[in-house]
Amino acid sequence: DGGITQSPKYLFRKEGQNVTLSCEQNLNHDAMYWYRQDPGQGLRLIYYSQIVNDFQKGDIAEGYSVSREKKESFPLTVTSAQKNPTAFYLCASLGGANQPQHFGDGTRLSIL
Amino acid sequence: AQSVAQPEDQVNVAEGNPLTVKCTYSVSGNPYLFWYVQYPNRGLQFLLKYITGDNLVKGSYGFEAEFNKSQTSFHLKKPSALVSDSALYFCAVSPVGGSARQLTFGSGTQLTVLP
């Protein structure tokens, strides 16, 4: 089945540590997105990529970094500069202008 | 800038009764409108979308939504609620022709269907 796989499902970060969240899709979609979800705030866009080797900052990019070396993969690194990283992180992809975004099942990040 | 308002954080309805989850939006030009549902510790699942055409849109699991341009609303409805419909619902908007089809999400409405 085609879809988006996020791993790990749960992740813990120590003080001063960078952690990387994985997002892989086999939908052959060009565009991919990372969102952060906090209770009562909906989803906020961190980064997005329309094509391989290109990505743009979203509304809350500070303290995060991404890469897009392959069409299928869009990993997100939460750096030590992100002082409040505890949240649910969702990856999505988009196949066409009139289509809905498809979402993975998320990674829940907590601070140790 | 585009925005979405979901004025109710929580909606409770009895099983078998009709349900409505409200959404209003603000966008420059014509909108693409979406409804998603989220179950605990899961990603968002697509329910339905409005792109153009009929103002009444039918989607998955018996849900429908009505696009009202004059009121800038896109309320989600279902004629008869099920306990299994209990979940978090998100409305989202994107301007037609917008950059990378960026979606702006509302803050979500928790629907509880009481048996």
Side-chain angles (χ1 to χ4, degrees), chain A residues 9-59:
Chain A
K9 192 166 182 66
Y10 299 96
L11 188 58
F12 298 91
R13 196 192 86 171
K14 295 180 181 179
E15 202 70 37
Q17 186 182 42
N18 293 351
V19 291
T20 297
L21 284 60
S22 171
C23 177
E24 303 279 332
Q25 56 103 354
N26 61 3
L27 299 167
N28 200 33
H29 287 173
D30 286 318
M32 296 186 74
Y33 306 79
W34 274 107
Y35 294 93
R36 171 178 170 140
Q37 184 178 12
D38 295 282
Q41 294 193 44
L43 276 67
R44 292 182 290 168
L45 182 65
I46 305 172
Y47 269 98
Y48 66 99
S49 168
Q50 298 184 67
I51 199 166
V52 174
N53 292 322
D54 185 57
F55 48 82
Q56 286 79 40
K57 294 181 179 180
D59 301 319

Side-chain angles (χ1 to χ4, degrees), chain A residues 7 20 48 50 57 77 79 105 109:
Chain A
S7 61
T20 297
Y48 66 99
Q50 298 184 67
K57 294 181 179 180
T77 296
T79 74
D105 273 341
L109 176 61

Side-chain angles (χ1 to χ4, degrees), chain A residues 9 33 35 37 40-43 45 48 50 88 90 94 96-101 103-105 108, chain B residues 32 34 36 38 41-46 49 51 88 90 99-108:
Chain A
K9 192 166 182 66
Y33 306 79
Y35 294 93
Q37 184 178 12
Q41 294 193 44
L43 276 67
L45 182 65
Y48 66 99
Q50 298 184 67
F88 192 50
L90 288 162
L94 180 67
N98 291 349
Q99 300 306 310
Q101 290 185 15
F103 285 82
D105 273 341
R108 189 167 298 280
Chain B
Y32 288 158
F34 302 84
Y36 287 87
Q38 185 181 35
N41 294 311
R42 300 295 301 275
L44 275 64
Q45 295 178 31
F46 168 71
K49 65 179 179 180
I51 303 298
L88 185 58
F90 289 99
S99 172
R101 284 85 67 187
Q102 291 184 51
L103 287 178
T104 297
F105 287 85
S107 57

Side-chain angles (χ1 to χ4, degrees), chain B residues 15-53:
Chain B
E15 188 175 27
N17 283 2
L19 69 87
T20 298
V21 182
K22 296 179 180 177
C23 170
T24 59
Y25 67 91
S26 174
V27 69
S28 297
N30 294 320
Y32 288 158
L33 291 157
F34 302 84
W35 275 103
Y36 287 87
V37 60
Q38 185 181 35
Y39 295 97
N41 294 311
R42 300 295 301 275
L44 275 64
Q45 295 178 31
F46 168 71
L47 280 179
L48 51 81
K49 65 179 179 180
Y50 172 82
I51 303 298
T52 186

